[in-house]
């Protein structure tokens, strides 16, 4: 609905494969392991990642309403699909949000010739009356979902996104998917950030880190057994609602007023396009890739 087609309908075949491989327990639910003031730790019991993550997000908000800050860590869960969903949820409930998940190796550590750090998507959100700011990004230049949608559209990437089998940077999605050597964002900075988030997330969740996930899924992309973190912060602990709005609006105004390189492409803040796309898709319907739709229909037995 929000235009992130790579992580919507396109993920249904991936989800079904994960269920069939035993990576998802359809009856698994969050189970509280430990609590420590503002923080709670849950076992996801390999339940459906979307449901686990949504429940964890809402629990973090409940804790933040009590303490000003709420942190929920989840171990042993499954792929959460679009990470931004949970940052949006936290913002829609009036809180500043931050969440991230580790994954199996899919990004080259800076200076290496093989993938050894995770995509480890991280999301931030700020509530705002005129539309939340939501930053949702994998720590590779392009998520594998984006590589898929670009390939299905018969297009190339606007900037190099990884390495081909010859060790050369490439804009051809299929070549990156084949090597699984995605380029980290910010080169060495993204590589370091991916490593830091993996360690912090696994420690706080008392769960699997990327090397352990690699052993679990044997080289297949699934994020089965991931460690995930959900943080909610009350933005009005030290500021009034009006002050929060003024801070956010002035920063966004500065972005909107910046002179664009291309006059036909105005500068937007993270999440702005999704708000626009949601409105369009509610009015006009959601576009889908015909091949993906055919696969989903086959899976449904139609």
């Amino acid at each position: 609905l929000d235009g992130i087609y790579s992580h919507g309908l396109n993920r249904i075949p991936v989800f079904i494969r994960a269920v069939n491989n035993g990576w998802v327990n359809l009856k698994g639910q969050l189970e509280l392991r430990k609590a420590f003031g503002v923080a709670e730790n849950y076992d996801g019991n390999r339940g459906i990642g979307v449901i686990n993550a949504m429940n964890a997000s809402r629990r973090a908000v409940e804790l933040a309403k009590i303490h000003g800050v709420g942190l929920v860590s989840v171990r042993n869960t499954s792929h959460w699909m679009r990470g931004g969903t949970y940052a949006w949820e936290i913002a829609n409930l009036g809180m500043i949000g931050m969440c991230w998940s580790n994954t199996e190796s899919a990004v080259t550590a800076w200076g290496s010739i093989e993938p050894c750090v995770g995509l480890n998507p991280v999301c931030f959100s700020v509530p705002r009356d005129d539309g939340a700011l939501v930053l949702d990004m994998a720590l590779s230049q392009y998520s594998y979902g984006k590589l898929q949608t670009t390939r299905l559209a018969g297009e190339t990437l606007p900037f190099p996104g990884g390495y081909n089998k010859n060790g050369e940077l490439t804009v051809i999605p299929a070549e990156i998917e084949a090597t699984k050597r995605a380029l980290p964002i910010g080169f060495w900075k993204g590589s370091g950030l991916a490593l830091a988030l993996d360690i912090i997330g696994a420690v706080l969740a008392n769960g699997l880190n990327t090397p352990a996930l690699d052993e679990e899924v044997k080289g297949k992309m699934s994020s089965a057994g991931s460690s995930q973190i959900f943080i909610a912060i009350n933005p009005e602990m030290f500021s009034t609602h009006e002050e929060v709005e003024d801070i956010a609006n002035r920063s966004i105004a500065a972005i909107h007023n910046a002179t664009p390189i291309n006059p036909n492409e105005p500068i937007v803040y993270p999440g702005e396009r999704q708000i626009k796309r949601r409105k369009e898709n509610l009015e006009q319907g959601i576009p889908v890739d015909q091949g993906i739709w055919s696969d989903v229909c086959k899976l449904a037995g139609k």
Side-chain angles (χ1 to χ4, degrees):
L1 189 62
D2 287 355
I4 315 298
Y5 306 117
S6 59
H7 288 66
L9 192 73
N10 293 24
R11 278 289 187 267
I12 296 297
V14 176
F15 174 74
I16 297 300
R17 186 177 71 239
V19 172
N20 291 338
N21 285 337
W23 294 333
V24 176
N25 172 14
L26 294 177
K27 296 181 180 180
Q29 297 182 20
L30 292 182
E31 180 181 2
L32 181 65
R33 299 182 67 248
K34 294 181 180 180
F36 192 86
V38 303
E40 293 180 351
N41 174 229
Y42 290 83
D43 192 312
N45 290 307
R46 295 294 174 93
I48 297 172
V50 173
I51 297 174
N52 278 348
M54 186 61 78
N55 287 334
S57 302
R58 292 171 177 168
R59 180 56 185 160
V61 170
E62 291 175 356
L63 290 170
K65 288 179 179 178
I66 299 170
H67 303 287
V69 177
L71 185 153
V72 171
S73 63
V74 182
R75 57 176 281 175
N76 192 34
T77 188
S78 59
H79 199 315
W80 67 0
M81 304 304 170
R82 179 181 70 145
T85 296
Y86 317 109
W88 275 106
E89 180 67 10
I90 292 171
N92 288 338
L93 294 173
M95 299 289 174
I96 292 170
M98 179 181 180
C99 49
W100 74 89
S101 174
N102 65 1
T103 73
E104 61 279 349
S105 293
V107 179
T108 53
W110 187 249
S112 74
I113 62 172
E114 59 190 5
C116 54
V117 293
L119 292 164
N120 301 350
V122 60
C123 313
F124 302 88
S125 59
V126 179
R128 180 169 163 266
D129 291 347
D130 290 334
L133 179 150
V134 178
L135 175 63
D136 174 9
M137 61 181 189
L139 296 186
S140 57
Q141 187 64 39
Y142 302 96
S143 71
Y144 277 79
K146 181 63 175 179
L147 295 179
Q148 180 199 42
T149 55
T150 304
R151 170 174 49 79
L152 291 173
E155 299 173 351
T156 57
L157 302 167
F159 303 98
Y163 299 90
N164 61 22
K165 63 181 181 181
N166 299 319
E168 303 163 331
L169 286 173
T170 179
V171 295
I172 301 175
E175 294 182 349
I176 303 168
E177 291 172 311
T179 63
K180 294 183 180 178
R181 290 183 62 191
L183 186 69
I185 63 169
F187 305 116
W188 52 89
K189 295 179 181 180
S191 172
L193 181 58
L195 180 61
L197 289 176
D198 174 43
I199 295 172
I200 294 169
V203 167
L204 290 179
N206 186 228
L208 301 181
N209 60 2
T210 290
L213 287 171
D214 289 340
E215 296 177 8
E216 189 77 11
V217 301
K218 308 300 182 186
K220 297 182 180 180
M221 300 289 286
S222 75
S223 297
S226 291
S227 300
Q228 297 173 355
I229 305 297
F230 305 84
I231 301 172
I233 305 170
N234 183 349
E236 297 175 18
M237 283 192 294
F238 309 118
S239 304
T240 65
H241 179 77
E242 291 72 22
E243 287 170 333
V244 172
E245 285 291 302
D246 180 63
I247 291 169
N249 289 340
R250 290 181 66 182
S251 293
I252 287 174
I255 294 292
H256 282 162
N257 292 332
T259 303
I261 296 173
N262 184 343
N264 296 320
E265 296 181 3
I267 312 301
V268 298
Y269 64 87
E272 188 171 0
R273 286 195 180 96
Q274 292 176 44
I275 294 171
K276 178 183 177 183
R277 191 71 67 203
R278 173 178 283 262
K279 183 176 184 297
E280 291 175 352
N281 285 349
L282 282 170
E283 294 172 351
Q284 303 170 22
I286 300 174
V288 300
D289 178 84
Q290 188 57 48
I292 294 292
W293 179 246
S294 177
D295 289 344
V296 170
C297 288
K298 291 177 182 177
L299 288 167
K302 294 184 178 179

